[in-house]
Amino acid sequence: MYTYSALILDDEEFSVEVLIEDIAWQDCGISQVNGVYSVRQAKEFLKKNPVNILICDIEMPGENGLDLVEWAMEYARFSKDPMVCIMLTCHPEYSFLRKAMQLGCQDYLLKPVDEEDLETSLKKAVETLNVRTRTASKNPPKEPESGRDIIRQKVLPYIQQNLTEPFTVSELADSVSLNPQYMMRLFKKETDMSILEYVTEQRILKAKELLLSTDNSIENIGVQLGYYNYTYFMKVFKRSTGMSPGQYRKQYGK
């Protein structure tokens, strides 16, 4: 029988203590439970300790539990520990519920929560974790990829293969199975450039190559690289190189 760990995040310390004392954690299949009181503390804890079930409030002073859940779910993707998230909040707004479900949260419980309802949700989370663990034992995972590996082996090749096609950040993120916001932060961290900056740089390099190696019109070259507005292509090229495409071709062409 598998046993799991849980982490409770709530800026109300009393609420955390009540849950730790009153919930029948062992009966739910949870052997260890801890509490933290800020997003910062939660991240620090998650980086150092395995957590299988995250129970999280939404609004805290200057912080947002949904942002933490997004970060935690992505963090768990590249660790060996499966995670299930449960939102526990006093906010019944549909926008919060919708966002939580989009992030993959299992449940959205309103305060004050009934102990039986939370224990039912915890048992459901444990069942989900049991299934994932059994599946993982039959199909051992590959070593988790580092952020650098993801960018270099997946994101950059996709960009190069689709350089002449218009694509969105969401499409790029879907192609590598990442959340768009997480992917953009990871890309910036690993390359010190935004995705837009990198794509623009690569398209301008390709434009330079085409200007010197073909007789294609400047407008046609822009279209080939996804710039369907001729004036905009001229502006981007000049901002990048300090000269217009025509001037570049004339100066560097044979």
Side-chain angles (χ1 to χ4, degrees):
M1 181 178 178
Y2 305 108
T3 57
Y4 301 102
S5 62
L7 179 67
I8 305 170
L9 167 60
D10 196 313
D11 63 308
E12 297 178 353
E13 191 170 338
F14 177 74
S15 297
V16 174
E17 292 175 353
V18 167
L19 290 179
I20 291 176
E21 290 294 326
D22 292 354
I23 297 299
W25 299 98
Q26 292 286 346
D27 293 345
C28 295
I30 299 166
S31 60
Q32 185 175 1
V33 57
N34 291 278
V36 290
Y37 315 110
S38 71
V39 169
R40 180 185 58 80
Q41 289 178 351
K43 287 184 177 180
E44 289 177 356
F45 187 92
L46 288 164
K47 289 176 181 178
K48 298 176 182 177
N49 305 277
V51 171
N52 306 114
I53 301 172
L54 176 61
I55 303 165
C56 186
D57 194 3
I58 289 183
E59 287 200 336
M60 289 162 280
E63 299 171 302
N64 187 306
L66 289 171
D67 291 337
L68 171 68
V69 168
E70 183 175 359
W71 179 90
M73 295 289 272
E74 290 295 342
Y75 188 82
R77 282 170 59 87
F78 304 108
S79 73
K80 297 180 180 179
D81 302 302
M83 180 183 291
V84 173
C85 294
I86 298 170
M87 302 308 299
L88 184 57
T89 178
C90 58
H91 294 280
E93 287 87 348
Y94 174 72
S95 60
F96 286 132
L97 171 60
R98 183 171 180 270
K99 178 66 173 178
M101 295 302 103
Q102 287 175 335
L103 292 176
C105 292
Q106 175 190 274
D107 242 331
Y108 192 95
L109 304 177
L110 294 178
K111 295 179 179 179
V113 67
D114 182 83
E115 291 178 11
E116 290 186 4
D117 288 343
L118 179 54
E119 288 174 358
T120 297
S121 183
L122 290 170
K123 289 175 182 178
K124 180 181 174 183
V126 166
E127 290 175 5
T128 298
L129 291 166
N130 284 340
V131 171
R132 292 182 186 175
T133 306
R134 285 195 295 267
T135 301
S137 64
K138 293 178 182 177
N139 303 288
K142 298 178 182 178
E143 285 298 312
E145 298 171 289
S146 68
R148 178 168 295 184
D149 288 340
I150 294 167
I151 297 302
R152 293 191 175 184
Q153 297 177 15
K154 295 182 177 181
V155 177
L156 295 183
Y158 180 92
I159 291 174
Q160 292 299 326
Q161 291 165 13
N162 293 274
L163 204 56
T164 60
E165 300 292 334
F167 62 87
T168 66
V169 169
S170 294
E171 290 169 341
L172 172 56
D174 286 343
S175 75
V176 296
S177 301
L178 290 179
N179 173 275
Q181 286 74 28
Y182 174 77
M183 183 191 67
M184 288 189 288
R185 292 195 298 269
L186 189 61
F187 192 94
K188 180 74 172 179
K189 176 183 176 183
E190 297 298 333
T191 68
D192 202 31
M193 301 174 71
S194 70
I195 291 175
L196 177 59
E197 288 171 338
Y198 180 81
V199 171
T200 299
E201 177 188 81
Q202 294 301 305
R203 283 178 170 164
I204 295 303
L205 287 174
K206 186 66 175 178
K208 290 178 179 180
E209 176 189 326
L210 293 172
L211 284 166
L212 301 183
S213 64
T214 74
D215 294 325
N216 293 348
S217 69
I218 292 172
E219 183 174 4
N220 182 263
I221 289 173
V223 170
Q224 286 183 59
L225 295 171
Y227 294 104
Y228 296 96
N229 184 309
Y230 177 72
T231 303
Y232 180 67
F233 172 57
M234 296 279 286
K235 184 182 297 184
V236 171
F237 191 94
K238 188 168 185 178
R239 185 169 63 228
S240 177
T241 66
M243 61 184 74
S244 70
Q247 291 170 329
Y248 183 87
R249 173 177 267 171
K250 183 177 180 180
Q251 181 167 332
Y252 296 105
K254 294 180 181 179

